[in-house]
Amino acid sequence: MPRSFAAFRLRAAVSAIGIAAATPLPAAEAPGEWPMFGHDHTNRNFSDLAGIDRSNVARLRPAWMFQTGVTGYFQAQPVMVDGTLYLSTTQNNVAALDARTGRVLWTYTHKARTEKIFGPPSNRGVAVSGGLVFQATMDGRVIALDAKTGKVAWDHEAVRPEEGETETASGLAQQLGGKPVQGSSRLGFKMPPLVAGGLVIVGVSGAGYGLHVEDEAGGLDGGSVVGIEGGYGRRGWLAAYDAGTGQERWRWYVTKEDGWEGAFSEKTGDGIPLHRDIPAEKAAAPANRQAWRVGGGSLWMTPAFDPDLGLIYVGTGNPAPQNFGLSRPGDNLYTMSLVALDVKTGHLRWYYQQVPHDEWGYDVAAPPFLIDHKGADGPVKAVASASKTGWIYVHDRATGKLLARSAPLIAQKNLFEPPSTTGTVVSPGPLGAVSWPPTAFDAASGLAYAQVRHGAATYTVKTVPAGPDRPEIRYTETGEARAEPSFSTLTAVDLGKGGSIAWSVKSASRLSGGTLATAGGLVFSGEEDGHLDAHDAASGQVLWRFQCGAGISGPAITYSLDGRQYVAVAAGGSSFTKGSGFGTGDALVVFSLPE
């Protein structure tokens, strides 16, 4: 259960900096806010603030620090509105802080209905709009808090406690060698909500079922993901709730009830062979007509929104059972896709499936971002999607037409080769190339800045023989291919020049949390060893580093008050730091230049 918010404590601000208190300006007049996840509806994670720039970033130092008292999995991006910084934690607690000093204005302690949740208890942020703070929780609730007091305005149970329940994890622990097994127990929410058109929009995770088996070090990163034959997934969905009352207005399901098999595509939409056994899938189809009912499709990150078109853009996750395709023949629509939905109704306008019939865990996890694409006849309003497969795709916002695909961000190996009994090594593995951490985009330069993981995984089909009380169990085990290179790069992709790689810089430890770009010519990027780095946006050169004391696992933001610019980032580690030698923590660290 969550720790009491009495455990929230404020470490003394760095008093030598001498931050002066001031009365916040009205929201309409306050400059330099960070009002929502991704900064605005474009999801670009870019700020036009330039007070901190290439010439002075080396003097950046801590201004204040806030310790939540809840350690680990601290993946939230803060939001700053009207001089107040709003922050959620693992366990879904929320704090409102004076953005100048870190003084606590109010706290909300979340009382979860259950300790059974999907995966680590991470939460990736809140939304603030119309005097309310919105949060979607891991125990399946959408909550509105009064932005001035923290009192609950409404609390809507979006997922029933038993929805998604399964006991498969405990039942298979002994059969999989006795190693600790972590599995999906129910649906819940991880993403920061999107507020648009008077609606609070959020999607569930935990639908694309997979067991995670711990490795020797006690972590999940080097361990395996097990996709088991049969109906162990759940049906993913995205829903919209009335911002004033919490009443559900529409719900869109990821798995297509009528025709989820699709066209049995032999290639991806951009022409890459999928190496599928189409005859075998078609032969298995009659016995699996209802597979869509447990077909997966988690939604990991906040949609982008085009108010002129009235469309939201969101990526969908892997089909279930994860990495094992025989019991779900067909393309498994609309998993592994970038989709455009009508914001008012949730009706599907278009979709682009990056990986039909996925068997590798290539969720479209990264938040899409809006750009203007340079077409032959002039600018085209477009939406970009950084992928786990190793490309950035660019689509026409109105139609979904694929306009461009970047150069590969990694060295791909055996891409889309199916799992085998002898083990198939494929690069990238299920953690990406680019996973959920956001990619920043600078419209002036046309450069997108992505944290890219270089690594491979081994996909092995295994069988547990039938026993007295159970049938034979077939599954795919996915583990890190340790003989293959494994490292991270911060990579700049020139989307204004055909998607070429402008520069790529290898990091000392794995990158995490996502990127922030600013008009000061800087890109901020976090590492799992605790460093927050500031790179020259034009060259990638590291201009400043600071050790935050725990892994950076959430996206940084920047804001300004009274003419002073700040950079804020959560430092709490993640599930991937367990057993890695890098610690977890509970701190929000806020930086500024000395006065």
Side-chain angles (χ1 to χ4, degrees):
M1 297 293 290
R3 292 173 56 180
S4 168
F5 230 79
F8 262 107
R9 57 196 185 278
L10 177 66
R11 184 183 296 179
V14 183
S15 57
I17 298 177
I19 304 173
T23 302
L25 296 172
E29 302 176 20
E33 293 186 339
W34 193 278
M36 64 185 68
F37 176 83
H39 188 247
D40 55 32
H41 285 134
T42 67
N43 257 355
R44 292 176 181 171
N45 281 275
F46 177 84
S47 171
D48 59 6
L49 295 178
I52 301 170
D53 61 20
R54 296 182 181 95
S55 69
N56 59 26
V57 69
R59 298 192 292 120
L60 200 63
R61 57 189 275 187
W64 54 268
M65 180 182 294
F66 175 71
Q67 290 182 279
T68 69
V70 184
T71 301
Y73 310 114
F74 197 5
Q75 298 179 337
Q77 183 178 65
V79 171
M80 200 289 281
V81 176
D82 196 16
T84 300
L85 192 149
Y86 300 92
L87 177 70
S88 62
T89 75
T90 181
Q91 310 290 13
N92 295 115
N93 297 331
V94 182
L97 311 170
D98 185 310
R100 297 171 177 83
T101 66
R103 179 173 62 90
V104 178
L105 304 177
W106 56 258
T107 60
Y108 161 79
T109 303
H110 185 63
K111 294 179 174 61
R113 298 167 302 170
T114 177
E115 293 184 1
K116 289 184 178 181
I117 59 174
F118 166 72
S122 56
N123 173 267
R124 292 170 181 167
V126 299
V128 180
S129 181
L132 295 174
V133 180
F134 302 98
Q135 180 184 208
T137 71
M138 284 301 298
D139 62 323
R141 290 147 64 187
V142 184
I143 298 172
L145 307 174
D146 185 286
K148 295 297 184 184
T149 66
K151 293 182 178 179
V152 176
W154 51 259
D155 183 343
H156 176 79
E157 185 181 63
V159 180
R160 294 295 305 168
E162 67 275 10
E163 186 173 347
E165 189 91 39
T166 178
E167 299 301 328
T168 305
S170 59
L172 281 178
Q174 294 303 315
Q175 298 171 31
L176 298 176
K179 295 181 180 179
V181 176
Q182 179 189 104
S184 168
S185 60
R186 60 190 59 212
L187 300 177
F189 299 106
K190 284 183 179 287
M191 71 165 65
L194 168 70
V195 181
L199 299 173
V200 182
I201 301 169
V202 68
V204 292
S205 59
Y209 185 80
L211 296 175
H212 297 260
V213 183
E214 290 189 359
D215 61 13
E216 293 81 358
L220 299 177
D221 185 32
S224 59
V225 177
V226 181
I228 303 166
E229 179 182 21
Y232 297 114
R234 293 297 179 266
R235 200 179 183 200
W237 49 263
L238 185 84
Y241 303 90
D242 187 287
T245 66
Q247 182 179 352
E248 185 174 310
R249 294 302 185 191
W250 57 255
R251 182 180 293 201
W252 176 77
Y253 284 96
V254 176
T255 60
K256 180 175 169 57
E257 179 177 350
D258 180 18
W260 110 294
E261 296 87 359
F264 288 90
S265 305
E266 295 184 356
K267 297 181 180 180
T268 63
D270 48 336
I272 310 299
L274 288 166
H275 309 293
R276 292 168 64 177
D277 188 343
I278 300 296
E281 287 184 42
K282 289 185 175 180
N288 293 279
R289 293 297 185 197
Q290 303 300 309
W292 59 270
R293 294 182 180 274
V294 289
S298 293
L299 297 120
W300 296 107
M301 290 305 295
T302 307
F305 172 50
D306 184 332
D308 294 331
L309 292 175
L311 295 179
I312 60 174
Y313 307 90
V314 66
T316 66
N318 62 269
Q322 183 175 3
N323 303 344
F324 195 95
L326 286 182
S327 61
R328 48 172 173 84
D331 294 349
N332 311 143
L333 301 177
Y334 300 102
T335 64
M336 316 306 287
S337 299
L338 179 68
V339 301
L341 304 176
D342 186 295
V343 70
K344 294 181 180 179
T345 65
H347 292 161
L348 179 70
R349 188 72 60 86
W350 59 257
Y351 75 97
Y352 180 88
Q353 192 171 32
Q354 290 184 7
V355 188
H357 192 73
D358 172 82
E359 295 190 87
W360 306 273
Y362 292 146
D363 313 70
V364 184
F369 54 98
L370 305 185
I371 70 172
D372 290 332
H373 177 70
K374 294 181 179 179
D377 299 322
V380 177
K381 298 296 183 183
V383 55
S385 174
S387 72
K388 283 189 174 184
T389 56
W391 292 288
I392 297 179
Y393 298 91
V394 179
H395 302 268
D396 185 299
R397 276 184 231 171
T399 67
K401 178 183 177 182
L402 183 63
L403 301 174
R405 191 189 72 182
S406 74
L409 309 183
I410 65 167
Q412 294 151 328
K413 179 177 182 178
N414 296 331
L415 192 61
F416 305 135
E417 288 287 345
S420 64
T421 55
T422 56
T424 303
V425 175
V426 180
S427 176
L431 295 178
V434 183
S435 188
W436 72 265
T439 295
F441 176 71
D442 182 348
S445 67
L447 294 180
Y449 304 96
Q451 292 181 330
V452 182
R453 176 180 168 86
H454 302 249
T458 302
Y459 298 82
T460 307
V461 177
K462 294 189 175 183
T463 301
V464 177
D469 301 318
R470 56 165 174 74
E472 176 183 88
I473 299 172
R474 293 184 296 173
Y475 64 95
T476 297
E477 184 177 83
T478 307
E480 183 179 4
R482 298 184 184 274
E484 298 290 325
S486 180
F487 59 93
S488 289
T489 59
L490 180 64
T491 299
V493 182
D494 195 336
L495 296 181
K497 295 182 179 178
S500 60
I501 306 300
W503 51 260
S504 189
V505 177
K506 187 175 181 179
S507 66
S509 68
R510 189 167 66 194
L511 299 179
S512 57
T515 55
L516 160 69
T518 75
L522 300 173
V523 180
F524 291 89
S525 175
E527 299 187 44
E528 74 167 9
D529 71 352
H531 281 98
L532 179 65
D533 306 328
H535 296 255
D536 187 309
S539 68
Q541 179 185 356
V542 177
L543 303 177
W544 170 87
R545 301 184 81 206
F546 185 87
Q547 175 54 256
C548 295
I552 307 300
S553 53
I557 69 166
T558 188
Y559 61 92
S560 71
L561 288 166
D562 310 320
R564 190 177 189 189
Q565 184 178 350
Y566 300 83
V567 175
V569 71
S574 72
S575 61
F576 302 133
T577 60
K578 183 180 178 182
S580 66
F582 302 116
T584 55
D586 68 348
L588 176 75
V589 187
V590 181
F591 303 90
S592 66
L593 296 172
E595 290 186 307

